[in-house]
Amino acid sequence: MARYFDLHPENPQRRSLGQIVEILRGDGLIAYPTDSCFALGCRPGNRDGLDRIRTIRKLDHRHHFTLVCQDFAQLGQFVHVDNAVFRAIKASTPGSYTFILPATKEVPRRLMHEKKKTVGVRIPDHRVTQALLAELGEPLLSSTLLLPGEGEPMTQGWEIKEELDHQLDAVLDSGDCGVEPTTVVDFSSGEPEILRVGAGDPTPFE
């Protein structure tokens, strides 16, 4: 049964964040709010968490998972970014974008795209997510909480708790979640290719 955390949207309770980090470090899987919908998240080294995300979302091995990072210093550990791409991404973060980039050796192979050896990265503009990432000290392996057969992601914490109670270890709710998925931009070839138009303005990458 998932624990339910009602977090303050501006100043999330430190004690609750500490308890959530304990759950994550114990190989737990959480649902948490971002600036673009709820997401499923676990530590990057959590094999069981990855398998549970695949099961909940019915994902195949071609799916691009995302490492949700606190800042550019953290992001740079996990993907290769040249100067031109750096400037383009820097101008649009933090924000509702996911960028597909070549993965570094720090990324476990099972998280990469099977053939391209790429991974998604993003830096969210959301106080609760940022506070959680700061407390955790590493990225969250994440995927949008979009259930199979549904056209839109889930947006209410209590609904997620009811629907996925026995598949998650915690649900975080702060009442200020975005309702659109991220805009996904693939930079793996060096030039931007928009794979999905979402909450982030695609214009800078067109």
Side-chain angles (χ1 to χ4, degrees):
M1 185 175 289
R3 292 185 63 183
Y4 188 83
F5 292 89
D6 188 6
L7 298 170
H8 191 282
E10 298 295 321
N11 298 294
Q13 302 88 320
R14 189 71 184 270
R15 183 168 178 271
S16 295
L17 291 174
Q19 292 172 335
I20 296 159
V21 165
E22 280 185 25
I23 290 169
L24 287 165
R25 288 182 179 156
D27 281 350
L29 177 64
I30 67 170
Y32 69 101
T34 76
D35 49 344
S36 57
C37 333
F38 270 87
L40 297 167
C42 65
R43 291 177 64 239
N46 183 351
R47 285 176 177 269
D48 176 64
L50 176 66
D51 289 342
R52 283 200 274 167
I53 293 173
R54 287 192 192 280
T55 299
I56 291 168
R57 293 208 51 206
K58 289 187 166 52
L59 300 173
D60 62 28
H61 289 274
R62 294 188 301 272
H63 180 75
H64 260 119
F65 285 96
T66 299
L67 293 172
V68 177
C69 301
Q70 184 184 358
D71 52 29
F72 256 96
Q74 196 175 72
L75 182 147
Q77 298 173 41
F78 298 96
V79 289
H80 295 288
V81 189
D82 66 27
N83 289 338
V85 172
F86 175 88
R87 286 193 295 272
I89 294 176
K90 182 78 170 172
S92 298
T93 55
S96 299
Y97 296 91
T98 298
F99 300 102
I100 309 295
L101 288 159
T104 68
K105 292 179 180 177
E106 296 295 315
V107 179
R109 185 174 291 274
R110 63 186 174 278
L111 306 187
M112 300 180 194
H113 186 280
E114 204 167 24
K115 292 182 179 177
K116 297 180 179 179
K117 306 298 183 245
T118 50
V119 70
V121 286
R122 68 173 299 226
I123 301 172
D125 187 14
H126 191 279
R127 287 190 182 229
V128 170
T129 312
Q130 282 288 345
L132 177 61
L133 291 168
E135 191 76 16
L136 181 62
E138 64 179 317
L140 277 168
L141 166 66
S142 290
S143 184
T144 302
L145 212 178
L146 179 64
L147 295 180
E150 297 293 327
E152 296 182 356
M154 300 182 78
T155 58
Q156 299 293 328
W158 62 269
E159 286 183 331
I160 294 167
K161 164 84 168 141
E162 283 189 358
E163 182 78 22
L164 300 173
D165 201 18
H166 296 287
Q167 294 172 275
L168 300 174
D169 297 291
V171 176
L172 287 55
D173 197 354
S174 59
D176 62 340
C177 192
V179 295
E180 269 192 287
T182 55
T183 291
V184 180
V185 185
D186 187 344
F187 269 109
S188 58
S189 67
E191 294 297 323
E193 179 186 356
I194 298 168
L195 303 184
R196 179 179 73 196
V197 176
D201 179 9
T203 309
F205 305 103
E206 290 175 340

